[in-house]
């Protein structure tokens, strides 16, 4: 299975060096680990043992785009994967579905694998508009992309991210079935408060191809317990 570790905006260079050594000691039990550090820590993740992802990418190429990091720079730091449209970027940086589409195209051109994050808010879940919201995120995110085969989808209900609340298995299954209807061959990850305690329940869902972990990514010991149970 794929286990992607989203460090978010955590760990200074100094802290990351220790953390990375701990991570390298982990027994991966044949799972594919993708480490997604904050940008400044990417060059420090220099072992071939763990694949590297970026938390975002510029929609533009090399050039006069202050504050951006482009695909060529990511490639040169051995980045193979990139999150697109994580809910925190949708919320705080106003990344739109159209932006996710542009970023995916830019990534595919340079053969970096996009991980398109989709998810509904608590309000959208409660007022029963979540299905339309998720379908729109998929359709608009993938519009006019000829070959979507390499793209990974991560379903992360926003109300579950960092809250300790996870959807029940029926809720996860329902969404995975909707995604599979549109994208039958896509790899789909689950993200949102997944941890070493709830993995026994989550792993009963056969449609899940892997996990995107935030909080747990920062705790190598607990991550080891998670991997042992996976
Ligand atoms: P969490 O974060 O595991 O801390 O809920 C997941 C994510 O935001 O990718």
């Amino acid at each position: 299975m794929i286990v992607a570790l989203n460090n978010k905006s955590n760990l200074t260079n100094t802290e990351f060096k220790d953390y990375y050594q701990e991570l390298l000691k982990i027994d991966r039990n044949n799972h594919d680990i993708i480490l997604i550090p904050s940008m400044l820590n990417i060059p420090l993740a220099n072992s071939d043992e763990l694949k590297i992802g970026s938390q975002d990418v510029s929609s533009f190429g090399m050039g006069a785009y202050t504050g951006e990091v482009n695909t060529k720079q990511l490639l040169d730091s051995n980045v193979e994967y990139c999150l697109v449209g994580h809910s925190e970027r949708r919320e705080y940086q106003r990344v739109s579905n159209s932006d996710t589409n542009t970023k995916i195209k830019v990534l595919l051109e340079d053969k970096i694998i996009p991980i398109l994050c989709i998810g509904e808010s608590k309000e959208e879940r409660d007022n029963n508009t979540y299905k339309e919201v998720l379908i729109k995120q998929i359709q608009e995110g993938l519009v006019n992309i000829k070959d979507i085969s390499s793209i990974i989808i991560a379903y992360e209900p926003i109300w579950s991210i960092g809250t300790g609340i996870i959807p029940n298995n029926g809720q996860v299954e329902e969404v995975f079935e909707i995604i599979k209807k549109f994208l039958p061959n896509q790899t789909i990850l689950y993200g949102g408060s997944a941890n070493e305690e709830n993995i026994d329940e989550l792993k009963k869902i056969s449609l899940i191809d892997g996990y995107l972990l935030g909080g747990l990514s920062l705790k190598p010991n607990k991550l080891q317990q998670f991997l042992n149970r996976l």
Side-chain angles (χ1 to χ4, degrees), residues 6 8 86 88 156 160-163 191-194 212-216:
N6 177 10
K8 308 193 179 186
H86 187 281
E88 287 150 13
E156 300 199 294
S160 176
I161 294 177
T163 59
S193 293
L212 178 52
L213 307 174
L216 197 70

Side-chain angles (χ1 to χ4, degrees), residues 16-17 19-26 28 33-37 41-53 77-80:
F16 184 84
K17 283 178 194 158
Y19 162 81
Y20 190 60
Q21 289 314 311
E22 288 304 305
L23 219 50
L24 290 177
K25 287 185 207 149
I26 279 183
R28 299 192 296 278
I33 310 286
I34 305 170
L35 176 60
I36 311 178
N41 288 331
I42 286 178
L44 299 175
N46 49 14
S47 153
D48 293 339
E49 288 187 35
L50 301 178
K51 297 188 165 156
I52 298 300
S77 290
N78 301 318
V79 167
E80 294 177 73

